[in-house]
Amino acid sequence: MPVFLFSFVNRIDKKGRVSVPASFRAALGEDASGIIVFHSLQYEALDGCSIAHLELLSQSLEKQDLPPETYELIETTIFGGSVQLLFDPEGRVSLPQSLMDTVGITDEAAFVGRRKTFQIWDPKKLAAHEAASRSAARARDISLSKIIAASSRFENGGA
């Protein structure tokens, strides 16, 4: 499963094409023909992933006993709103204008790694989101060492 790291800002050309960061393409694997994107359920951004990740989500849904209205929401918002964007020979994809308009992306796109998925933002909106996220993380006293320590306690059966 790919791991997407770091943030990149790339220009969008007049035809709506943008280069997907090389490290993201590498994380997808050599046989990946493109990416999947859809309007984020939580943010004014596009969520992106590999087709394999979307297939994993589909398989995971089959294993859960969710209320029918929850399935409906997921299928409508994620699967119904997803579009597969194929790479051109230069590693670019064409962002649909309707999705760009929905999240306010115009001439630049910020790609943000989120472990197993990534997001595409308007760079100015991303800067505000990152500042708010860092402030919230400080307020909650979140740190890597505390996450690792908590994970170790959990694995060892502790509380």
Side-chain angles (χ1 to χ4, degrees), residues 90-104:
E90 287 79 40
R92 298 174 299 192
V93 294
S94 293
L95 291 173
Q97 189 64 49
S98 60
L99 285 177
M100 289 175 37
D101 291 345
T102 300
V103 299

Side-chain angles (χ1 to χ4, degrees), residues 66-144:
L66 298 172
E69 59 273 9
T70 302
Y71 281 114
E72 173 66 25
L73 289 172
I74 292 168
E75 289 173 342
T76 299
T77 57
I78 295 176
F79 291 92
S82 291
V83 61
Q84 186 171 14
L85 306 178
L86 300 177
F87 295 131
D88 72 5
E90 287 79 40
R92 298 174 299 192
V93 294
S94 293
L95 291 173
Q97 189 64 49
S98 60
L99 285 177
M100 289 175 37
D101 291 345
T102 300
V103 299
I105 293 173
T106 55
D107 58 340
E108 291 183 318
F111 289 79
V112 182
R114 294 178 52 97
R115 272 187 339 134
K116 305 294 184 189
T117 64
F118 58 92
Q119 291 181 321
I120 306 173
W121 289 74
D122 167 76
K124 291 180 182 91
K125 291 178 183 176
L126 175 61
H129 173 71
E130 285 178 333
S133 294
R134 289 186 186 284
S135 179
R138 279 191 300 275
R140 293 182 185 178
D141 198 27
I142 295 173
S143 72
L144 295 180

